[in-house]
Amino acid sequence: MSTEQDRVDVRGVVSFVVIAYLPAWLLTLPLWLTGEGLSWAWAPVVLLVMMFMPAVAALVVSKWISPSANPLRSIGLTNPGGIKKWWPHILVAWLGPPLAMVLALLVGYLLGIYKADWTGFSGLAEQFGTGVIGAEPQTSPGMLALIQIAQVFGLGWLQVIPALGEELGWRGYLVQALLPLGQPGAFLTTGVLWGLWHGPVLILGFNYPTVPIVVAFMMMMCFCILVGTLLGWLRLATGSVWPAAIAHGFLNAAAGLTIVFSQAGYAIDNASVGLLGWTGWIVLALLILVLLLLGKLPVRFQVEQSGITRGVNRRSRR
C-alpha cells in the first residue's frame, strides 16, 4: 500500500491549519482575560481541550473539505491489518520516551547542565518536603522515586487519549497530506506548524518560561521537528496513528523524570534540561541518525502496480 500522493492538497492542508489553530487559540482567551495566565484554576482544562483541536481539524477536513472514502483510515485511526500490523511497535512507543528522557538527563549531567542525584533523589524529596520542619519524612526519597517512576510507566497510559487528540491531526492527517514534499519536507513542515500552534501558551510562559519569547518559539519548533520526525516514523512505518499517540503520551508523562533524578537546591530549566532542552535534542538527533543508518528512514512503502491485464497487480517496495 502506498501513502504517497502526486501533489499536496493545498485546500485540505490550509483548511486543516485554520481549523486546528483558531479554536485552539480562542480557547486560551480566558487565560489572558482573567489576567491569571497559566495559574488560572481552569488552565489545565483549557490545555487539555486545546489538544483535541488538531483531531477535530483532521476529521472535518477528511470528512467534508477533502473527503476521503474512509476518513478514519485516512488519518490512521484504523488501518489495514489492524493492531496485528503495529503491535510490535507498542514497546518502542511505551518504553522509548522515558528511556530517551533518562538519556537526555544523562547527557545534561555529563555536560554539567543538569545537577543530578541519581540515587539519593534529594530534589524529589525537596519537591515533596511540605511537612513540618524538623519532622521525619513520612515517605523515603527512594519510595517517592519508585512511585513517580511507576506513575510514568503505568499511569502514563492515561496521557495517550489527549495525545491522540494532537496526533490524529499532526501525524494522522498532516504528515500524510504533505508526503508529496518528501518525508523530510513533510516532517519539517509539520514540526514547524506544530511548534507555532503552541504560540499562545508559549507567550504565557509554558514550556520555556526562562527565555525570551522569540527564543521560546524557535526552541519549540526545533523540539517539534526532532520529536515529530520520530513520531512521524512511527506513523508511516505502521500505517497507524496509535503508536505515535502512545509515544506522545509517554513523552508527556516522562517529563516528570527531570525532578525525580534532580539534586536539591538546583532549579530545572527546560531550555537546557530534558528532551525539551538543547541537551535532549542531542539524544533525539542521535535516535533519528540510528533510524537513518538502519535504513528505517525514509520509510519505504509497498506499492501496487497495475499489470498487463485487469486484475493483475505487481508489488514492489519503494
Side-chain angles (χ1 to χ4, degrees), residues 188-248:
L188 177 63
T189 306
T190 300
V192 169
L193 291 171
W194 184 27
L196 291 175
W197 175 80
H198 293 83
V201 292
L202 286 175
I203 295 172
L204 289 171
F206 196 65
N207 293 122
Y208 299 107
T210 62
V211 300
I213 293 173
V214 173
V215 176
F217 271 81
M218 294 176 64
M219 294 193 72
M220 194 65 191
M221 285 189 286
C222 288
F223 168 73
C224 287
I225 290 169
L226 289 169
V227 80
T229 297
L230 296 170
L231 295 175
W233 165 71
L234 281 172
R235 164 69 171 108
L236 297 181
T238 63
S240 171
V241 77
W242 283 103
I246 293 170
H248 189 156

Side-chain angles (χ1 to χ4, degrees), residues 71-317:
L72 297 184
R73 178 161 293 184
S74 70
I75 61 176
L77 196 60
T78 63
N79 63 283
I83 192 173
K84 292 180 180 179
K85 182 176 179 181
W86 56 263
W87 73 263
H89 289 80
I90 291 179
L91 279 180
V92 175
W94 175 29
L95 303 180
L99 293 177
M101 175 63 82
V102 172
L103 287 175
L105 296 178
L106 181 60
V107 170
Y109 172 73
L110 294 175
L111 293 176
I113 304 297
Y114 178 61
K115 304 300 180 182
D117 186 353
W118 298 107
T119 57
F121 312 110
S122 59
L124 182 64
E126 182 181 56
Q127 182 78 10
F128 282 85
T130 58
V132 179
I133 297 176
E136 289 293 327
Q138 294 182 348
T139 306
S140 68
M143 182 57 67
L144 284 174
L146 185 61
I147 292 172
Q148 293 298 308
I149 293 172
Q151 287 180 348
V152 169
F153 286 99
L155 297 182
W157 287 101
L158 298 177
Q159 298 268 15
V160 172
I161 296 303
L164 180 65
E166 287 197 49
E167 289 306 310
L168 280 173
W170 305 119
R171 255 60 59 182
Y173 171 78
L174 192 57
V175 164
Q176 290 282 115
L178 294 177
L179 280 180
L181 301 177
Q183 291 181 35
F187 296 151
L188 177 63
T189 306
T190 300
V192 169
L193 291 171
W194 184 27
L196 291 175
W197 175 80
H198 293 83
V201 292
L202 286 175
I203 295 172
L204 289 171
F206 196 65
N207 293 122
Y208 299 107
T210 62
V211 300
I213 293 173
V214 173
V215 176
F217 271 81
M218 294 176 64
M219 294 193 72
M220 194 65 191
M221 285 189 286
C222 288
F223 168 73
C224 287
I225 290 169
L226 289 169
V227 80
T229 297
L230 296 170
L231 295 175
W233 165 71
L234 281 172
R235 164 69 171 108
L236 297 181
T238 63
S240 171
V241 77
W242 283 103
I246 293 170
H248 189 156
F250 280 93
L251 184 73
N252 292 342
L257 294 176
T258 58
I259 297 175
V260 171
F261 298 108
S262 65
Q263 184 176 334
Y266 292 93
I268 298 172
D269 185 0
N270 286 342
S272 56
V273 169
L275 292 174
L276 277 172
W278 64 266
T279 56
W281 300 351
I282 297 173
V283 173
L284 296 175
L286 287 175
L287 291 175
I288 294 171
L289 179 61
V290 168
L291 290 176
L292 289 170
L293 293 176
L294 292 177
K296 301 296 184 180
L297 273 178
V299 176
R300 296 186 178 184
F301 303 111
Q302 181 173 288
V303 298
E304 291 187 354
Q305 299 176 338
S306 298
I308 298 174
T309 59
R310 183 183 301 273
V312 178
N313 293 322
R314 296 175 180 174
R315 294 196 171 191
S316 62
R317 296 186 67 86

